[in-house]
């Protein structure tokens, strides 16, 4: 049986623990992610989804402020029109329901911040200082992004804009010192 490809990019949190941005299938996610109780809740939620009938756009409550999701629909853009984002208090677990995009990635310490951290909404924005990775992200794949992973979702794949349906789960991890 052919196993799905898992691509990872190494990065370091400020408290010096090696963390990996993970891209995998939903089926393989359980073996590749460190499953805390909140992570397990998030993965269990994804397993209940019917890709042919995704939830309506908007916020989805799973476990209060500990685990919640956003159902999104958008058209991909050119790379120069997309800012990188990063978070401190939540992991992102992104699941692509339909469509495909490129995801930009750079370590947080390689980001020129253009919008300071917004504590209420848990994000900062910026542009990469140097070379960075872009990886295809296609329907059925899951991406786990840690606070050390500055990422740019919604970039055109193969130079063409397309509609994407995505579920972005937020899993509380607490502030990173």
């Amino acid at each position: 049986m052919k196993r799905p490809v898992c691509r990872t990019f190494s990065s370091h949190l400020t408290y010096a623990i090696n963390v990996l941005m993970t891209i995998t299938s939903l089926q393989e996610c359980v073996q590749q992610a460190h499953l805390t109780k909140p992570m397990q809740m998030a993965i269990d939620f994804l397993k209940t989804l019917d890709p042919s009938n995704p939830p309506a756009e908007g916020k989805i409550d799973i476990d209060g402020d500990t685990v919640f999701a956003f159902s999104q629909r958008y058209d991909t853009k050119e790379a120069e029109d997309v800012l990188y984002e990063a978070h401190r208090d939540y992991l992102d677990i992104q699941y692509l329901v339909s469509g495909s995009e490129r995801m930009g990635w750079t370590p947080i310490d390689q980001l020129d911040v253009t919008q300071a951290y917004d504590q209420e909404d848990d994000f900062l924005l910026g542009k990469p200082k140097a070379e960075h990775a872009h990886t295809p992200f296609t329907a059925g794949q899951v991406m786990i992004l840690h606070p050390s992973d500055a990422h740019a979702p919604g970039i055109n794949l193969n130079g063409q804009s397309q509609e994407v349906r995505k579920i972005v789960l937020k899993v509380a991890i607490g502030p990173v010192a």
Side-chain angles (χ1 to χ4, degrees):
M1 180 171 122
K2 186 177 176 186
R3 292 178 54 88
V5 174
C6 173
R7 293 168 286 206
T8 57
F9 301 93
S10 180
S11 58
H12 297 276
L13 289 176
T14 55
Y15 52 88
I17 294 176
N18 193 29
V19 181
L20 300 174
M21 177 187 85
T22 303
I23 305 169
T24 189
S25 69
L26 181 55
Q27 295 76 22
E28 292 290 315
C29 191
V30 173
Q31 286 81 30
Q32 296 176 9
H34 175 69
L35 293 181
T36 61
K37 184 179 177 187
M39 286 284 285
Q40 185 65 57
M41 279 192 269
I43 299 302
D44 289 347
F45 171 79
L46 287 178
K47 288 179 180 178
T48 68
L49 291 178
D50 176 1
S52 67
N53 187 25
E57 292 175 70
K59 187 174 180 179
I60 303 163
D61 182 48
I62 299 169
D63 188 34
D65 289 339
T66 303
V67 181
F68 55 94
F70 294 100
S71 180
Q72 302 175 341
R73 178 193 313 252
Y74 57 85
D75 292 327
T76 60
K77 301 176 184 176
E78 295 293 326
E80 58 270 7
D81 296 329
V82 177
L83 288 172
Y84 282 64
E85 61 187 64
H87 314 284
R88 293 183 184 164
D89 296 335
Y90 290 88
L91 290 175
D92 267 11
I93 301 176
Q94 299 195 13
Y95 173 67
L96 209 54
V97 177
S98 64
S100 58
E101 65 183 20
R102 278 188 306 145
M103 178 72 76
W105 176 90
T106 194
I108 187 97
D109 63 354
Q110 293 299 309
L111 194 69
D112 274 329
V113 175
T114 59
Q115 182 176 326
Y117 179 69
D118 178 326
Q119 188 170 1
E120 184 176 329
D121 291 326
D122 187 43
F123 77 94
L124 60 81
L125 298 174
K127 292 277 190 181
K129 294 178 185 177
E131 289 231 6
H132 52 283
H134 277 185
T135 190
F137 188 32
T138 59
Q141 287 185 311
V142 174
M143 186 175 296
I144 301 170
L145 297 147
H146 299 269
S148 58
D149 298 318
H151 52 284
I155 300 172
N156 293 343
L157 183 63
N158 302 321
Q160 298 197 350
S161 179
Q162 63 178 284
E163 184 179 271
V164 166
R165 289 295 313 261
K166 183 188 280 186
I167 305 296
V168 177
L169 289 119
K170 299 291 192 172
V171 179
I173 57 170
V176 176

